[in-house]
Structure formats: structure tokens, C-alpha cells
Amino acid sequence: MPIFNCRTLWNVLPVAALWIGLSFLLVPVQAQPTALTRGDTTKPQMALIFTGHEYADGGDHIRQVLREQEVPGSFFFTGIFYERYAPLVQLLKADRHYLGAHSDHHLLYAPWSEQDSLLVTRDSFLRDLNANYVKMEKLGIARLEAPWFLPPYEWYNDSIVQWTADAGLQLINMTYGTLSHADYTTPDMPNYRSSAQIFQSILDYEAAQANGLNGFLLLLHIGTDPDRADKFYLHLEALIGELRERGYRLVTLQELFQND
């Protein structure tokens, strides 16, 4: 049995203290997860993202335009959408577009007036999210193939970002600045925007910003309420042409985030 006298202990303690201190430095610090809302702003490339829950009236037209223009799309659908519009989903899958989750029942996670508050618990959030992936898997979309999650209403807070990361997924959202997401509005809404206004807002933002639309995630809806007769998705081909004329490449999410 080793014998430690005071001199031995005096010599050992500083070494032990140093080792313990270094060990803390060697432990990796877990970074707070964040939402991805834009890619590299130095590169003239962007991604088109589409969400869907109740309506899919633009599905065939959007698919045709993307095929003809050879543009990749990223589609985020609720579980309800995956069940209701399975044939369309299979066509998009055959075209090799990204298919991701948008929650199962399109839950509102936080009040509109208090974004830092919550209307869901962690368990209810995860149950709903997992149900979305179960319905995707029934259509041959594996969870590992769909790591990006776009929250319903594009509305979330730090808790939702953390819970998404805990589920092994990455929360993404559209890039704000244009009115593209207003393509769902109907004439009776105070925030209604016509397709002409939406289109012009995209061009105006691009012209006014130093980095233009570099790294942008431009969000559109795959379908809208029948009360909106002015369908913005009918302008998709013209929009793609205009973006290309301005020097932008339309890329996949994987390419957009390849350095993240």
C-alpha cells in the first residue's frame, strides 16, 4: 500500500488540479441549436421551398414547371397532406424532389402575440412530429432522407428549435423580406396581396439589398383556398426565368447548406 507524506501530497495536488482543469477544457461544449433561414449570402444561389396542408391545386402545375425548367424543389407537407394527396407525393418523389415534414396536424406552437410562449408541450410536439414521419414512411420517405423540418405557419421559438434538434432533425424556415408567403391570402383578408404585388416584392427586395436573394429560401404554397382566384403558382415559370436572368442558380437544400 503506497504511503503519502505531506511532501508527496503537496507535489501531487497541483498536477491533479491541472489535469482536472484541462479535462474541463477538453469536454466539447454543446452549441445552442439554431434555425437555418438562409444559406451563403455571398453566392448567387437560392432554393424554392413549398409547403402544403389542406390544398394541393397547384401541385400538377408546379411539378410540370419544375420538370421543364430542371429546377429542384423542396416540399414540406403535413401528415394530413401526405395521406390526402398520396398520388401527387409519389410523383414528386419520382421526380427526386426533397420531401419533408411540416407537422402532422399543422399545429400552432406559440401565440401570435407572444412568440416566446408555448401552446404545446414537448411531448405533444414530438408526438405530432413523429406522426408526420410515420405517414411519410408509409409512402417510402425514410426519416434519414428528410432531416430538415419546416414548422407549421413558419412560426416557432427557441424551445421548438431545441426540441427539433433533440429529435435529430434540423429546423429550417423561409427567408423573410419578400411577400412570397402571402400567396395564400384571399381578397377578404386585410393582408391580401395580389400575385402582381408578390412578384414585384421579390424583384424589389433583390434590387434593394446588397446581397440580393443570395442564399434565399423562397417559400410558396402548393395550393391555396378556392376563394383566391389569383394563383401565384401560375407565375412560377416567369419567376424562375426572371431569377435566372438576374444570375441566380436554383439549387437543392443540400447544396444551399453544404457549408453549414
Side-chain angles (χ1 to χ4, degrees):
M1 178 178 180
I3 299 175
F4 290 92
N5 54 34
C6 290
R7 183 180 298 277
T8 303
L9 188 60
W10 180 258
N11 290 333
V12 171
L13 282 175
V15 176
L18 179 61
W19 174 252
I20 293 172
L22 287 174
S23 68
F24 279 112
L25 293 176
L26 293 173
V27 174
V29 177
Q30 297 296 323
Q32 181 75 18
T34 58
L36 296 179
T37 59
R38 194 166 185 172
D40 190 339
T41 58
T42 67
K43 296 180 180 179
Q45 59 186 24
M46 55 191 299
L48 296 180
I49 57 177
F50 302 85
T51 60
H53 173 47
E54 295 180 276
Y55 306 109
D57 46 284
D60 290 336
H61 179 79
I62 290 169
R63 176 174 170 261
Q64 179 181 348
V65 170
L66 295 181
R67 290 190 71 181
E68 291 175 351
Q69 298 298 316
E70 298 182 342
V71 169
S74 298
F75 295 85
F76 295 86
F77 299 143
T78 63
I80 289 174
F81 188 101
Y82 277 111
E83 286 187 319
R84 186 176 297 171
Y85 303 108
L88 172 61
V89 171
Q90 294 291 12
L91 291 174
L92 293 171
K93 184 173 182 288
D95 288 346
R96 304 179 68 82
H97 294 297
Y98 177 84
L99 294 164
H102 192 46
S103 85
D104 191 45
H105 276 70
H106 209 258
L107 304 180
L108 181 62
Y109 296 146
W112 295 115
S113 59
E114 297 180 71
Q115 191 173 5
D116 290 338
S117 300
L118 286 167
L119 296 174
V120 294
T121 65
R122 185 178 186 276
D123 287 345
S124 62
F125 166 80
L126 291 175
R127 281 197 303 270
D128 178 81
L129 180 59
N130 289 332
N132 195 169
Y133 275 98
V134 167
K135 291 172 182 176
M136 291 166 61
E137 288 165 359
K138 289 179 180 178
L139 297 177
I141 306 162
R143 190 181 181 111
L144 290 175
E145 298 172 345
W148 293 294
F149 165 65
L150 201 154
Y153 301 102
E154 296 75 61
W155 192 246
Y156 61 94
N157 55 33
D158 289 344
S159 294
I160 301 301
V161 175
Q162 181 65 61
W163 295 345
T164 301
D166 291 344
L169 305 169
Q170 171 64 58
L171 188 146
I172 72 168
N173 198 23
M174 67 178 188
T175 310
Y176 282 93
T178 78
L179 294 174
S180 71
H181 58 290
D183 63 346
Y184 76 93
T185 56
T186 54
D188 60 307
M189 295 180 177
N191 63 333
Y192 174 72
R193 297 293 185 273
S194 69
S195 291
Q197 289 175 303
I198 293 170
F199 201 114
Q200 192 60 48
S201 78
I202 297 170
L203 304 186
D204 289 346
Y205 183 93
E206 193 277 335
Q209 301 299 313
N211 294 319
L213 297 170
N214 291 356
F216 234 71
L217 286 85
L218 192 70
L219 184 142
L220 308 173
H221 291 88
I222 196 169
T224 59
D225 192 295
D227 288 342
R228 183 184 178 99
D230 181 16
K231 305 291 189 178
F232 185 69
Y233 56 72
L234 295 178
H235 301 268
L236 180 59
E237 184 175 2
L239 177 62
I240 291 171
E242 184 66 37
L243 293 172
R244 282 177 165 164
E245 283 188 15
R246 296 184 181 217
Y248 293 97
R249 292 178 57 243
L250 298 165
V251 301
T252 64
L253 289 177
Q254 184 175 10
E255 186 170 357
L256 193 73
F257 295 134
Q258 64 183 354
N259 295 324
D260 292 316

